[in-house]
Amino acid sequence: MQEFKSRRCLSLSLRGRGKSDAPNSGYSFEHHVKDIETVINDSKVNRFCLMAYSMGVPYAIKFASTSPGIKGLIICDYPAKYPSIPKSWSERVLSRSFISKERKHVVEGIQQESKSIELYRDLNRIQVPVLVIKGGTQESLLSEVETEKLRSNLPDVVIKELNESGHELWEPSKERFIQLINEFLVRLDDSS
C-alpha cells in the first residue's frame, strides 16, 4: 500500500485472518463475500478499484458481479472458481507453527464450510475494466485454460503475464508488478 500512498487505499483482512475477529462459525464463501460488502459500505467509498490475490479472487469476482460502485477489478493469479477444500489442507496448515491454538477453528471452519463454486457466469456481469495478472512459471495458480476462460467471459479484460514469476507475482520484480497495477489505475483515472 505504501507504493500507492497518493491514493486512498483500504486493506481487508477477512474474518479469522490478520487482526480481524475470529468468530466460531461463518467461514463460507458467501460469508467472505458479505465481509467485502460490509467493509466497502462502512468505508463509504464509491467508484473504487478492487484488487484480489489468490483465494481472495473468487470472493472479489462474486462481489464485483453485483457491486454498482466498482470502477475496476484487478485479479491476481487465481481462476474464477472456489474450491472444495480437502481436510488434508487444514491438517497441513495446522501443522505449521504460525497458526495459534486460538485460531485453529478458523482453519477448520474454512475447510469444513467450503464447497466447489464456479464463477464463469458471474464474469459476464462485470461491466468494468479488469486487469488479470498471472505468473508465467509452473508455480502460477492460473493455468492457460483458466486464463482463456477469463478472457472469453470478461467483457473488458487485459491479461498480463509476468514470465519469471510464479504465484508470488512480486518476485523477482516487485517494480514490474507495481507498474502493471499503477498503469491500470491510471487508465481507470483517465476514463472517469
Side-chain angles (χ1 to χ4, degrees):
M1 288 178 59
Q2 185 64 25
E3 300 291 336
F4 301 99
K5 62 185 175 189
S6 64
R7 298 176 177 274
R8 180 176 181 207
C9 297
L10 300 175
S11 178
L12 168 64
S13 289
L14 295 168
R15 64 180 64 203
R17 278 82 133 199
K19 295 181 181 179
S20 293
D21 289 341
N24 289 327
S25 62
Y27 295 96
S28 70
F29 177 80
E30 294 79 11
H31 284 109
H32 288 99
V33 174
K34 185 70 174 166
D35 287 347
I36 296 171
E37 180 182 333
T38 299
V39 168
I40 296 295
N41 289 341
D42 286 355
S43 71
K44 299 188 181 8
V45 67
N46 56 27
R47 303 296 301 149
F48 57 91
C49 179
L50 180 63
M51 179 175 159
Y53 170 71
S54 197
M55 286 285 286
V57 167
Y59 309 137
I61 288 171
K62 187 65 173 180
F63 174 80
S65 71
T66 61
S67 176
I70 195 166
K71 74 175 187 176
L73 176 64
I74 302 172
I75 293 173
C76 295
D77 206 58
Y78 205 81
K81 59 185 176 182
Y82 187 76
S84 175
I85 301 170
K87 188 170 174 69
S88 60
W89 172 85
S90 61
E91 291 168 350
R92 187 175 65 252
V93 170
L94 290 172
S95 71
R96 298 176 182 160
S97 61
F98 63 87
I99 303 292
S100 68
K101 289 180 184 178
E102 296 81 26
R103 298 265 172 148
K104 177 182 176 194
H105 69 283
V106 172
V107 175
E108 292 169 342
I110 291 169
Q111 184 272 315
Q112 291 167 359
E113 294 186 44
S114 70
K115 62 183 177 193
S116 182
I117 300 171
E118 292 198 353
L119 298 161
Y120 304 112
R121 290 184 180 168
D122 294 278
L123 295 173
N124 290 307
R125 294 187 201 111
I126 300 173
Q127 298 297 312
V128 296
V130 178
L131 170 63
V132 176
I133 307 174
K134 69 180 295 304
T137 70
Q138 290 182 335
E139 287 78 34
S140 172
L141 297 185
L142 190 53
S143 70
E144 290 303 320
V145 170
E146 293 295 339
T147 301
E148 190 52 43
K149 289 179 183 180
L150 291 171
R151 185 186 326 277
S152 62
N153 286 289
L154 285 164
D156 183 0
V157 63
V158 173
I159 297 174
K160 297 290 186 175
E161 182 173 311
L162 296 171
N163 295 332
E164 297 177 8
S165 298
H167 186 54
E168 294 177 341
L169 299 170
W170 51 92
E171 295 292 337
S173 178
K174 177 182 172 186
E175 295 78 22
R176 180 68 181 130
F177 178 59
I178 297 298
Q179 179 186 6
L180 290 175
I181 296 166
N182 194 50
E183 287 171 356
F184 183 71
L185 294 175
V186 169
R187 173 187 166 201
L188 294 179
D189 293 341
D190 292 344
S191 66
S192 297

